[in-house]
Amino acid sequence: LMLLRIRRKFSAAHKLPDYDGDCRNLHGHTWQVVFEIEGSVQPSGMIYDFKILKPLLDSILPDHKFLNDYVENPTAENLSRYIFGKAEQILKEKHLTLKTLELWENEDSACVIRK
């Protein structure tokens, strides 16, 4: 099994309406997303060109957005599901499979989805 691993960053604000604490208030993060993508090695010797994959994945990330406009309760878990669904759909069109997504809210805390 061979996987591509791509790390992307985006900045976005959110508030957690169901949270009893400071995160109930508007605040922001510089998020990091790590995508692990499976595919067949092509005659070129690559699964897929990183130069094409990076902007493709960037196009689904809510950079400089208010996350509550995309996900009703944008916890790391709910936002991970949202991004995973978007990435899975766009990668499937390229005959690639999203195996794992890690969404890092900060340098210490992440949510991981594995398929």
Side-chain angles (χ1 to χ4, degrees):
L1 176 67
M2 191 176 295
L3 300 171
L4 299 180
R5 182 176 283 169
I6 299 175
R7 183 186 315 257
R8 307 308 295 154
K9 290 183 183 180
F10 69 99
S11 296
H14 69 155
K15 58 184 179 178
L16 303 179
D18 299 328
Y19 188 76
D20 186 21
D22 289 343
C23 293
R24 183 177 186 82
N25 301 317
L26 180 63
H27 64 285
H29 300 279
T30 298
W31 303 81
Q32 288 194 58
V33 187
V34 179
F35 300 91
E36 286 190 340
I37 301 163
E38 181 183 16
S40 300
V41 176
Q42 302 300 307
S44 66
M46 294 186 275
I47 293 173
Y48 213 85
D49 190 341
F50 285 123
K51 287 165 93 175
I52 297 171
L53 274 177
K54 288 175 185 176
L56 189 68
L57 294 169
D58 286 346
S59 74
I60 64 164
L61 298 176
D63 190 35
H64 286 81
K65 305 289 186 201
F66 179 51
L67 298 175
N68 297 67
D69 290 342
Y70 296 83
V71 178
E72 186 175 327
N73 184 19
T75 61
E77 295 84 352
N78 290 335
L79 186 56
S80 295
R81 277 195 286 259
Y82 171 81
I83 294 171
F84 191 98
K86 293 283 189 187
E88 187 174 45
Q89 183 178 12
I90 204 164
L91 291 168
K92 188 174 185 177
E93 295 170 6
K94 306 294 182 192
H95 306 287
L96 300 168
T97 302
L98 182 58
K99 298 301 279 187
T100 305
L101 179 138
E102 293 180 22
L103 178 66
W104 290 83
E105 184 176 276
N106 57 46
E107 64 185 33
D108 300 319
S109 307
C111 179
V112 178
I113 298 176
R114 289 196 177 100
K115 185 171 182 179

